[in-house]
Amino acid sequence: MNIGEGESLVDYDTGAALEAATDHAGEALLVCAEYTPEDFRLVYLSDRLQAEYDELDDIVEAGELFHHYGQLDFVGEDQFAEFYPTLSETQAFVTYTDFAIIGRVVGANEAFYFSVENGTEVTPLVDAVTEIVR
């Protein structure tokens, strides 16, 4: 289900980022969103994930919670530079959970969120999306 109708929040090509995610993850792709420090917009929701929620509003509510914490991604680059002085930039964050793998490719003030099924090879996915977002 592509639910990305409406005005984009970001300057990068969200459609190209979604296409890259789909090309690399295929049917393992669960959800994608674009986001900024102020807001987020769902751009893709798999049938599998949609079936696990009663209504789209429940998914948006979960997205709002993730977005609240996702705002930290925009200060994460500075934090990593403090911890690892040899770093010049942080491009993405990937989290492995018992449910899914969650990735966030982060630019200066805009980012792309994706979630894929466990076992999905995410490095090529992150690399492809990074070329578009950054």
Side-chain angles (χ1 to χ4, degrees), residues 46-64:
S46 69
D47 292 339
R48 174 188 158 205
L49 194 59
Q50 186 177 0
E52 292 182 23
Y53 285 86
D54 292 329
E55 297 189 26
L56 184 58
D57 288 344
D58 295 335
I59 296 166
V60 171
E61 186 176 316
E64 288 171 352

Side-chain angles (χ1 to χ4, degrees), residues 81-100:
E82 286 180 33
F83 298 145
Y84 304 100
T86 57
L87 289 178
S88 59
E89 65 181 15
T90 300
Q91 299 173 350
F93 301 95
V94 177
T95 305
Y96 292 80
T97 73
D98 60 345
F99 176 75

Side-chain angles (χ1 to χ4, degrees), residues 15-75:
L18 177 57
E19 184 176 342
T22 303
D23 287 349
H24 286 84
E27 295 201 9
L29 187 64
L30 299 173
V31 63
C32 292
E34 61 180 21
Y35 66 104
T36 66
E38 294 79 28
D39 204 0
F40 75 99
R41 182 174 76 103
L42 292 171
V43 295
Y44 174 80
L45 182 65
S46 69
D47 292 339
R48 174 188 158 205
L49 194 59
Q50 186 177 0
E52 292 182 23
Y53 285 86
D54 292 329
E55 297 189 26
L56 184 58
D57 288 344
D58 295 335
I59 296 166
V60 171
E61 186 176 316
E64 288 171 352
L65 179 63
F66 284 116
H67 179 257
H68 175 74
Y69 292 102
Q71 294 173 21
L72 297 175
D73 291 345
F74 299 105
V75 297

